[in-house]
Amino acid sequence: MSRKMKNTKNYSIPGFLFGSVSCGIKNRKDDLAIIYAEQPATAAAIFTTNRLKAAPVLLGMDRIKKGVCQALLLNSGHANAMTGSEGEKAAKATTLAIARNLKIPPSLVIPSSTGLIGGKFPAEKITKALPRLVSTLSPGGAKKAAGAIITTDKFVKIASRKIKIGGKTGTVRAIGKGAGMINPNMATMLCFVLTDVKISKSFAAKTLREAAGTSFNRIIVDGEMSTNDSVFLLSSGAAENKTISSASPDGRRFSKAVSEVCFDIAQMIVQDGEGATKVARIEVEGAKNVADADKAARAVGNSLLVKCALFGEDPNFGRIASAAGASGVKFNPAKLDIWIDKLKVVSRGKETQNAEKKAAKLMKKSEFTIKIRFSEGKAKAFVLASDLSLDYVRLNSEYRS
Amino acid sequence: MSRKMKNTKNYSIPGFLFGSVSCGIKNRKDDLAIIYAEQPATAAAIFTTNRLKAAPVLLGMDRIKKGVCQALLLNSGHANAMTGSEGEKAAKATTLAIARNLKIPPSLVIPSSTGLIGGKFPAEKITKALPRLVSTLSPGGAKKAAGAIITTDKFVKIASRKIKIGGKTGTVRAIGKGAGMINPNMATMLCFVLTDVKISKSFAAKTLREAAGTSFNRIIVDGEMSTNDSVFLLSSGAAENKTISSASPDGRRFSKAVSEVCFDIAQMIVQDGEGATKVARIEVEGAKNVADADKAARAVGNSLLVKCALFGEDPNFGRIASAAGASGVKFNPAKLDIWIDKLKVVSRGKETQNAEKKAAKLMKKSEFTIKIRFSEGKAKAFVLASDLSLDYVRLNSEYRS
């Protein structure tokens, strides 16, 4: 995985076309994109659990039920959230309009929006730009489309794997966006996993759920949950392999590739977290059960004081231990061990001697691991967390323009 | 309640003496204090639920069981947390030493420490200073003692009420400290409620529990929980009223006074929150039950994006609604109403027209209310929350000196 994408790569995936234009929601920048499957694609999706679901999420939840999708109509600059019944009408209207342009049923189109919450959704601007958008459709437009859905992201996020399926080579690519934020004028997390590998609907849903569990559900920038978070998996089936419907060797290879591209995108989102200067992998092991391990890892990753210590490159082990202690997980403090990378900094509940100076050096790196070990059992879990920087506060306290 | 304490006030409470000195944990500043009851006082306490309890908390939890306490030995500059069995020995040794000085049983002494987590607890410095500390004991030393327990607090926190109990006048005073932080080099929350009103042990415990529920358990600076948080209620009984043991009219007046001084101290802690520039009272009403109301209020008060919006004086209603939506509480978004003070800014899930400009003005005040109304039931709850400022990150990311 590299942050820098080679310009020569076109990121094509057999069976898919991509388009993008500026429709005027954001000033002159591309803000409207389409992912189009030449044939109806097998599809699965996961959406935000926020009670305040944006209009496109509500429509997408309904339309994905059939397990088929042919076009994803994407816009940045406006989230179409907190827009009431008008927003819902607008989401429907724009998908109807693109369906007409593409000559496909509107039920096979799912919209996805990201940007400002509230205000009037600029449906007219989008509708007006659709013929132009359709005219840009090409197999090589993935990267440009990825650029049209970013908001405050500092870089475009694409991850890819090639896999052998039967005698054929299949492609799994993910296009993501997000700087870990949820909110007005900021990125919300979206990810579109596209493949030419033929899979069944139920296998698509299972694979995506598992991949999200080890990627997007493991990252913490600011503990916020969007009104628009959505992750899609679409299969064009153009690889013409025998349809995968179970965890056969082919199925396992495919699921692994999906998990890996999702993890890559998730990691890029944390790296690109608003104001983030550090990514800490927080591992908890020796917990009584996975729920405990998970709870403790999340508590440490969400701790404001830990995040400030990460930003300050301050080996403040008391904060890490205290956040774990406040997580609600039961453990014996006298058996608590903590490591920064391979350096043991807390042993049996007490700071190890002379660890501080060495740990401070390790924390100067942009990525490192904080490992916390209880001695209560064998369960483990991890999260990827960014730090809390001055720029985070600056970016999010400035008045919306 | 006023932030400024009159210097002429001595804050005496019949039956109690106060002392304070510098013992050298902090440079030259007073860092050691004692609250001494001339007779063994009826006592109750509440301690942090963090798994990593500091040594003085562990000792205090044990000693408070009898419901009697005669001396509180307080120090700032070192929390005596993550100090292992050595720390526990040190906590015992210092209380034994002060007991000898005061000629009382060590079981009637409870220590309370605040400051740096980890490192060696400076028991010798404390023990050495005890004769000097005892020599400063006086009825009028409360304010000076309050000054010795603050750490990063910008102001000393004392709150008082006079009440009529039978034909007599009773005093309830609270001495608090805290800037909402939990951690190395920072304030942890401590509060000592002192009264001359005679009360039973069980009534003391009940009154304190209820008071904490509407004060210290309602404030959010950074969602962190200390290893040292402790709240005490001590009654000298010097008012010589008939012992209160139930919610009689006298009992209710007394409980109200305790709740009020605790709320005053809690409010001062939020106002003094690290880097805080705003205090928002976040009210949730119309919830299905109190647990839901509480959960939603806490989610909004803990939201980094809401806190950044408070700091930026940005009427970003989407963030408030989204945080409530992400809280896990079930409600109908189409019936969500939000107010800033008396200005309705969200009506039935949508921003009200022209509210933004007026709301921006209201948010320039240092204190205001955010009211969120579900239409699911009649339950309500509130929290007091500070904002997230650049100074918070600055203060907490700088390397410990």
Side-chain angles (χ1 to χ4, degrees):
Chain A
M1 187 208 67
S2 157
R3 290 196 189 196
K4 282 178 195 158
M5 304 286 171
K6 283 178 200 153
N7 279 320
T8 49
K9 265 199 175 178
N10 71 17
Y11 297 103
S12 70
I13 304 133
F16 290 99
L17 303 176
F18 307 86
S20 51
V21 293
S22 161
C23 75
I25 304 176
K26 299 198 300 200
N27 248 347
R28 284 187 207 174
K29 277 187 193 162
D30 278 7
D31 49 18
L32 187 66
I34 182 166
I35 299 175
Y36 175 66
E38 291 171 302
Q39 302 296 325
T42 302
I46 296 169
F47 298 100
T48 179
T49 57
N50 197 309
R51 290 298 289 178
L52 260 74
K53 290 177 176 65
V57 168
L58 292 169
L59 188 60
M61 287 173 77
D62 187 45
R63 291 192 174 166
I64 201 72
K65 281 179 191 158
K66 288 186 300 286
V68 188
C69 174
Q70 191 158 10
L72 291 162
L73 180 63
L74 321 173
N75 77 276
S76 59
H78 198 297
N80 197 5
M82 286 187 78
T83 47
S85 56
E86 268 179 80
E88 291 178 30
K89 274 178 213 157
K92 272 189 194 159
T94 51
T95 56
L96 180 66
I98 188 75
R100 277 187 188 145
N101 272 280
L102 295 167
K103 298 183 178 63
I104 61 171
S107 63
L108 292 185
V109 184
I110 294 180
S112 210
S113 303
T114 175
L116 190 72
I117 291 179
K120 195 180 173 317
F121 186 65
E124 303 72 26
K125 283 184 183 173
I126 292 174
T127 310
K128 215 175 143 191
L130 291 180
R132 226 168 9 104
L133 179 68
V134 170
S135 75
T136 65
L137 277 170
S138 83
K143 197 188 166 194
K144 203 163 164 281
I149 59 166
I150 61 173
T151 50
T152 56
D153 303 53
K154 288 192 290 288
F155 55 90
V156 163
K157 298 171 181 69
I158 302 180
S160 308
R161 292 291 184 282
K162 291 274 183 197
I163 47 166
K164 288 277 170 206
I165 296 289
K168 301 169 200 297
T169 299
T171 301
V172 178
R173 284 205 213 285
I175 298 174
K177 68 137 299 199
M181 307 284 311
I182 68 148
N183 67 310
N185 239 9
M186 298 294 159
T188 60
M189 201 224 102
L190 297 178
C191 184
F192 309 96
V193 184
L194 308 174
T195 185
D196 54 354
V197 176
K198 251 182 152 166
I199 49 173
S200 74
K201 290 175 192 177
S202 62
F203 189 65
K206 186 171 178 280
T207 296
L208 187 61
R209 204 168 49 239
E210 287 173 2
T214 56
S215 58
F216 306 118
N217 294 341
R218 299 265 141 227
I219 53 174
I220 296 173
V221 172
D222 55 6
E224 303 279 0
M225 183 200 285
S226 161
T227 51
N228 292 57
D229 289 344
S230 306
V231 184
F232 290 86
L233 170 59
L234 264 64
S235 147
S236 69
E240 296 192 331
N241 56 299
K242 210 181 135 194
T243 305
I244 302 173
S245 61
S246 68
S248 59
D250 275 358
R252 278 196 292 276
R253 262 197 301 282
F254 175 74
S255 294
K256 186 166 172 274
V258 172
S259 287
E260 285 176 4
V261 295
C262 287
F263 188 81
D264 284 358
I265 298 285
Q267 195 165 33
M268 290 184 219
I269 289 173
V270 183
Q271 286 166 339
D272 202 4
E274 298 264 332
T277 70
K278 305 277 176 190
V279 177
R281 183 181 168 98
I282 296 163
E283 297 180 353
V284 172
E285 61 175 47
K288 222 172 268 171
N289 50 55
V290 174
D292 271 9
D294 196 69
K295 207 170 173 183
R298 281 171 201 278
V300 175
N302 269 314
S303 159
L304 263 61
L305 292 178
V306 171
K307 283 172 170 297
C308 284
L310 294 179
F311 175 59
E313 301 176 342
D314 174 7
N316 201 325
F317 318 132
R319 291 185 184 177
I320 297 167
S322 178
S327 68
V329 172
K330 287 184 187 172
F331 63 91
N332 184 347
K335 292 201 265 174
L336 180 72
D337 298 320
I338 300 177
W339 287 259
I340 307 287
D341 283 344
K342 287 181 178 174
L343 177 73
K344 197 169 195 174
V345 294
V346 171
S347 179
R348 305 191 145 262
K350 285 176 68 177
E351 270 187 50
T352 56
Q353 279 194 317
N354 308 319
E356 199 169 314
K357 228 174 167 178
K358 286 181 206 160
K361 236 181 225 173
L362 293 171
M363 289 177 76
K364 291 202 185 304
K365 299 191 298 178
S366 63
E367 303 193 9
F368 50 85
T369 299
I370 297 172
K371 187 167 82 179
I372 297 157
R373 188 171 69 192
F374 303 143
S375 290
E376 304 290 334
K378 295 193 166 180
K380 56 185 181 176
F382 79 93
V383 297
L384 298 181
S386 61
D387 57 339
L388 177 60
S389 69
L390 292 168
D391 277 347
Y392 178 89
V393 178
R394 264 183 214 119
L395 274 161
N396 290 294
S397 61
E398 278 161 16
Y399 193 81
R400 290 164 294 164
S401 54
Chain B
M1 186 209 68
S2 157
R3 289 196 190 196
K4 282 178 195 157
M5 304 286 170
K6 284 178 200 153
N7 278 321
T8 49
K9 266 198 173 177
N10 71 15
Y11 297 103
S12 70
I13 304 133
F16 290 100
L17 303 176
F18 306 86
S20 51
V21 294
S22 162
C23 75
I25 304 175
K26 299 198 299 199
N27 248 346
R28 285 187 207 174
K29 277 188 193 162
D30 278 7
D31 49 17
L32 187 65
I34 183 166
I35 299 174
Y36 175 65
E38 291 171 302
Q39 301 297 326
T42 301
I46 297 169
F47 298 100
T48 180
T49 57
N50 197 309
R51 290 297 290 178
L52 261 73
K53 290 177 175 63
V57 168
L58 293 169
L59 187 59
M61 286 173 77
D62 187 44
R63 292 192 174 166
I64 200 72
K65 280 180 193 157
K66 287 187 300 287
V68 188
C69 174
Q70 192 159 8
L72 292 161
L73 181 63
L74 320 174
N75 78 275
S76 59
H78 198 298
N80 197 5
M82 287 187 79
T83 48
S85 57
E86 268 179 81
E88 291 178 32
K89 275 178 214 156
K92 272 189 194 159
T94 50
T95 57
L96 181 65
I98 188 75
R100 278 186 187 145
N101 273 279
L102 296 168
K103 297 184 179 60
I104 60 171
S107 64
L108 291 186
V109 184
I110 295 180
S112 210
S113 302
T114 176
L116 191 72
I117 291 179
K120 195 179 173 314
F121 186 65
E124 302 72 26
K125 284 185 183 173
I126 291 174
T127 309
K128 216 175 142 191
L130 291 181
R132 229 171 4 106
L133 179 68
V134 169
S135 75
T136 65
L137 276 171
S138 84
K143 197 188 165 192
K144 203 163 165 282
I149 60 166
I150 61 173
T151 49
T152 56
D153 303 54
K154 289 192 290 287
F155 55 91
V156 164
K157 298 171 181 71
I158 303 180
S160 308
R161 291 290 184 284
K162 291 273 183 197
I163 46 165
K164 288 279 171 204
I165 295 290
K168 301 170 199 298
T169 299
T171 302
V172 178
R173 285 205 214 283
I175 297 174
K177 68 135 299 199
M181 307 285 311
I182 68 149
N183 66 309
N185 240 8
M186 299 291 159
T188 61
M189 200 222 101
L190 298 177
C191 185
F192 308 96
V193 184
L194 307 174
T195 185
D196 54 355
V197 177
K198 251 182 154 168
I199 49 173
S200 74
K201 290 175 192 176
S202 62
F203 189 64
K206 186 171 177 279
T207 296
L208 187 61
R209 206 169 46 240
E210 287 173 2
T214 56
S215 57
F216 306 118
N217 294 341
R218 300 264 141 226
I219 53 175
I220 297 172
V221 172
D222 55 6
E224 304 278 0
M225 183 200 286
S226 161
T227 51
N228 291 57
D229 289 344
S230 306
V231 184
F232 289 86
L233 170 59
L234 263 66
S235 149
S236 70
E240 298 195 328
N241 57 298
K242 210 181 134 195
T243 305
I244 302 174
S245 61
S246 68
S248 59
D250 275 359
R252 278 196 292 276
R253 262 197 302 282
F254 175 75
S255 294
K256 188 167 170 272
V258 172
S259 287
E260 285 177 4
V261 296
C262 287
F263 188 81
D264 284 358
I265 298 286
Q267 195 165 32
M268 290 184 219
I269 289 173
V270 183
Q271 285 166 339
D272 202 6
E274 299 263 333
T277 70
K278 306 276 175 189
V279 178
R281 183 182 169 98
I282 296 163
E283 297 179 353
V284 172
E285 59 174 50
K288 223 172 268 171
N289 51 56
V290 174
D292 272 9
D294 196 69
K295 206 172 174 183
R298 282 171 200 276
V300 174
N302 269 314
S303 159
L304 264 61
L305 292 179
V306 171
K307 283 172 169 298
C308 285
L310 294 179
F311 175 59
E313 302 176 340
D314 174 7
N316 202 325
F317 318 131
R319 290 185 184 177
I320 297 167
S322 179
S327 68
V329 172
K330 286 184 187 172
F331 63 90
N332 184 347
K335 292 201 263 172
L336 179 73
D337 298 320
I338 300 176
W339 287 259
I340 307 287
D341 283 344
K342 288 182 177 177
L343 177 73
K344 196 168 195 175
V345 294
V346 171
S347 178
R348 305 191 145 263
K350 285 176 68 178
E351 270 187 50
T352 56
Q353 279 195 317
N354 308 320
E356 198 168 316
K357 230 175 166 176
K358 286 182 208 160
K361 237 182 224 173
L362 293 171
M363 291 179 74
K364 291 203 185 303
K365 299 191 297 179
S366 64
E367 303 194 8
F368 50 86
T369 299
I370 296 171
K371 187 167 83 179
I372 298 157
R373 188 171 70 192
F374 302 144
S375 291
E376 304 291 334
K378 294 192 168 182
K380 56 185 182 178
F382 79 93
V383 296
L384 298 182
S386 61
D387 56 339
L388 177 60
S389 69
L390 291 168
D391 277 347
Y392 177 91
V393 178
R394 266 186 212 115
L395 275 161
N396 290 294
S397 62
E398 277 161 18
Y399 193 80
R400 290 165 295 162
S401 54

